[in-house]
């Protein structure tokens, strides 16, 4: 804490409440010596002793783990990766001595050093304070004004409001967040962490799935109630993270993956309950179809967003129309609800589970998700076709990773690219007529595969032929960088082809246990694809290439499953699907857990409010 102590100031106590060990420094030279003595692996902060403001303003600036450096007026903090730059900047300020003493007194040392860090290329995050106060008063009059401004603001009310996403679904905004934020505060005051709340949400959903699996009406009612309780906790964990700024790498991963695990486990519980109920209804096909549709919807979202993450020259009339519609109040909520985000979806599932049957629940879910998929996909296709945008190499790389191409597709793709452009000639950019080549190959391969699986009798070799055509088309689709207007459709088409192949083969086999085994296989593969998305979102790239090759890529797995279906019948087919599911699950889970627990991946939490 720099500068002479201020009588009556609470800033030193506030810093200790935030967990800091406070050390005084009379000037830049003293501050430089303290920084040199500080452990290099710890967060350090530079705070002007005249700082006047809300405790939460300091909390936002000095304790958020997502940023290597952050600052507000009169306070600056850096984490270990930027500590060297901070030490250099403070030493530079100290070295000029009295030449800058007047400047330091007027503008305060933390602000001057923050400007020096920015000039040195360090990104210094400045949190949005809103009505919160953070100031360094120059005289008694300014100090009195700052104190009055502090008194006019209900800091706790601001903190509770900021715990909720600025943009969220209708059900979450009006039926969950009004009270879940208070549950988040209750958890914070008792020392609970977001990860503990996330785990409680998962356990609650698994208990709900178990209740649904009983196949009784009381079990279905309890399942619906517990599913809503799980969603309340799911909202609470993120609000607790924002309320107390307890962001973490592990928490980001748990929050993202547990949502899918909860929903798909509940689907399985409904399917088991339907089979065990009085009617002995077999809805495993519907449960697997719901998982396939929901996962493909997510891949469409992820793929489109990554393709346009840093695109330049966005001039889509469709996007302009969307912005105009957002200015009309009621259309905002209508458009958020029609895409059936997680709050609306889980509320519908819970109510239908309690009041109807699993079959009706799945029918409603499939119809709702199909309409939402058509709405969002059609809008994104129109945006892509009507925009003048140049997609970057980063976007093309992200789409290539999302495609999950294995060694077969890679070999075909490299061979196709080599024949199209000899090594002696530079690769020519896509001509306008060729900009749709990648999605066209993906559509042709997917159609050939699904048609062969659909028309072929159980045990026939037609699906293997369809899979061979699919492998060739998959390789051709990724032969060039995916920078075309509709190239973002390639990954979701590949996901639909792989998942539907497993679904149709299992359903048409009419083998006892084949559909539950297929459900497990698709769940294992879907986890791998979700894990790829979350790594890309975190800026750490895709899973290691050896894992993609070991799991065969999407085209390799399709070929294996079709060959297994042709060779094995009866119980052998079910056992083969189960073995594949277990092997894939072990491979991807071990690598995923190792990465997220032990790596230096950033703590990236979803603040966009995009439907999940």
């Amino acid at each position: 804490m720099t500068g002479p102590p201020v009588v009556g100031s609470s800033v030193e106590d506030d810093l200790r409440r935030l967990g800091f060990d406070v050390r005084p420094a009379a000037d830049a030279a003293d501050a430089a010596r303290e920084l040199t003595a500080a452990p290099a692996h710890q967060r350090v902060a530079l705070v002007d002793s005249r700082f006047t403001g809300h405790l939460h303003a300091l909390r936002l600036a000095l304790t958020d783990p997502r940023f290597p450096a952050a600052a507000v007026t009169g306070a600056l903090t850096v984490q270990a990766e930027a500590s060297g730059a901070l030490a250099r900047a403070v030493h530079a300020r100290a070295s000029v001595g009295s030449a800058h003493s007047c400047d330091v007194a007027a503008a305060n040392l933390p602000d001057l050093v923050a400007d020096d860090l920015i000039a040195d290329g360090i990104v210094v995050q400045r949190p949005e304070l809103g009505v919160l106060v953070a100031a360094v008063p120059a005289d008694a009059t300014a100090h009195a004004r700052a104190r009055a401004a502090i008194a006019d603001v209900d800091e706790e009310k601001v903190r509770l409001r900021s715990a909720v996403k600025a943009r969220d679904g209708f059900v979450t905004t009006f039926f969950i967040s009004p009270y879940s934020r208070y549950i988040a505060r209750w958890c914070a005051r008792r020392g609970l962490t977001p990860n503990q709340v996330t785990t409680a949400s998962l356990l609650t959903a698994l208990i709900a799935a178990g209740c649904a699996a009983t196949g009784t009406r009381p079990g279905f009612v309890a399942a619906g109630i517990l599913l809503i309780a799980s969603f309340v906790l799911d909202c609470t964990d993120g609000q607790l993270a924002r309320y107390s700024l307890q962001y973490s790498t592990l928490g980001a991963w748990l929050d993202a993956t547990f949502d899918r695990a909860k929903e798909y486990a509940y689907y399985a519980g409904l399917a088991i309950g339907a089979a065990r109920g009085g009617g002995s209804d077999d809805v495993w096909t519907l449960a697997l179809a719901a998982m396939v549709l929901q996962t493909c919807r997510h891949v469409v979202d992820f793929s489109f967003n990554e393709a346009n993450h840093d695109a330049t020259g966005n001039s889509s009339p469709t996007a302009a129309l969307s912005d105009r519609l957002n200015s009309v109040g009621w259309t905002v909520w209508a458009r958020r609800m029609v895409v059936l985000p997680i709050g609306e979806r889980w509320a519908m599932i819970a109510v239908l589970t309690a009041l109807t049957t699993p079959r009706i629940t799945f029918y409603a879910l499939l119809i709702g998700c199909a309409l939402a998929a058509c709405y969002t996909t059609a809008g994104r296709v129109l945006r892509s076709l009507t925009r003048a945008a140049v997609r970057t190499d980063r976007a093309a790389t992200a789409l290539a990773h999302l495609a999950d191409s294995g060694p077969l597709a890679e070999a075909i793709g490299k061979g196709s690219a080599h024949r199209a452009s000899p090594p002696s000639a530079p690769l020519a950019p896509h001509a306008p007529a060729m900009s749709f080549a990648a999605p066209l190959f993906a559509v042709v391969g997917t159609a050939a595969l699904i048609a062969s699986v659909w028309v072929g009798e159980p045990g026939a070799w037609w699906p293997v032929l369809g899979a061979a055509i699919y492998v060739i088309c998959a390789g051709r689709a990724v032969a060039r960088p995916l920078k075309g207007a509709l190239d973002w459709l390639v990954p979701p088409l590949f996901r639909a082809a792989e998942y539907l192949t497993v679904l149709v083969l299992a359903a048409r086999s009419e083998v006892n246990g084949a559909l539950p085994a297929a459900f497990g296989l698709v769940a294992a593969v879907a986890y791998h694809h979700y894990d790829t998305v979350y790594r890309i979102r975190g800026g750490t790239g895709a899973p290691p290439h050896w894992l993609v090759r070991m799991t065969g890529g999407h085209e390799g797995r399709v070929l294996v499953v079709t060959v297994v279906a042709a060779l094995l019948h009866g119980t052998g087919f079910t056992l083969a699907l189960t073995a594949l599911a277990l092997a894939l699950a072990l491979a991807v889970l071990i690598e995923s857990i190792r990465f997220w627990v032990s790596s230096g991946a950033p703590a990236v939490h979803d603040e966009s409010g995009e439907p999940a």
Side-chain angles (χ1 to χ4, degrees), residues 85 89 93 111-124:
R93 285 288 169 183
D111 285 5
L112 292 172
V113 173
D115 292 339
D116 293 341
L117 291 179
I118 294 172
D120 195 30
I122 304 296
V123 177
V124 178

Side-chain angles (χ1 to χ4, degrees), residues 521-579:
L521 176 58
V522 172
V525 176
Y527 177 86
H528 168 58
H529 292 144
Y530 280 116
D531 186 54
T532 301
V533 167
Y534 300 136
R535 295 196 197 205
I536 293 173
R537 276 186 169 182
T540 57
H545 193 58
W546 64 261
L547 178 66
V548 178
R549 296 181 69 87
M550 187 179 74
T551 56
H554 66 96
E555 80 288 354
R557 291 188 295 268
V558 163
L559 192 58
V560 168
V561 170
T562 54
V563 170
V564 165
L567 292 175
L568 301 177
H569 312 287
T571 305
F573 181 56
T574 300
L575 291 176
L577 289 180
T578 303

Side-chain angles (χ1 to χ4, degrees), residues 167-228:
R167 182 180 184 273
D168 222 328
F170 181 84
V171 169
T172 304
T173 300
F174 293 103
F175 296 98
I176 305 297
S177 292
Y179 59 88
S180 63
R181 69 184 76 183
Y182 295 101
I183 300 176
R185 181 174 67 181
W186 183 89
C187 293
R189 290 177 175 177
R190 282 151 184 81
L192 298 177
T193 67
N195 292 351
Q196 291 171 329
V197 178
T198 302
T199 304
S201 175
L202 173 66
L203 293 175
T204 304
L206 293 179
I207 295 172
C211 291
T214 63
T216 63
R217 180 53 52 193
F220 288 147
V221 172
I225 294 172
L226 288 171
L227 187 64
I228 293 298

Side-chain angles (χ1 to χ4, degrees), residues 282 284 288 506-507 509-521 570-578:
D282 187 355
W284 275 107
L288 182 50
S509 71
E510 299 181 355
V511 176
N512 186 35
L515 279 166
F519 190 95
L521 176 58
T571 305
F573 181 56
T574 300
L575 291 176
L577 289 180
T578 303

Side-chain angles (χ1 to χ4, degrees), residues 290-365:
M291 181 167 66
V292 168
L293 178 56
Q294 190 57 33
T295 304
C296 289
R297 281 187 63 202
H298 286 143
V299 177
V300 168
D301 293 339
F302 300 145
S303 188
F304 178 81
N305 290 335
E306 287 302 324
N308 297 282
H309 177 76
D310 48 7
T312 58
N314 182 8
S315 58
S316 168
T318 311
L321 174 62
S322 177
D323 293 338
R324 286 197 297 270
L325 287 174
N326 282 337
S327 64
V328 182
W330 67 269
T331 65
V332 174
W333 294 116
R335 294 170 67 216
R336 290 187 190 178
M337 292 174 67
V338 75
V339 299
L340 209 63
I342 188 170
E344 280 76 353
R345 192 169 66 251
W346 282 26
M348 180 183 73
I349 294 172
V351 171
L352 291 177
T353 298
L355 300 180
T356 65
T357 65
R359 180 171 290 274
I360 293 175
T361 301
F362 281 124
Y363 280 152
L365 179 63

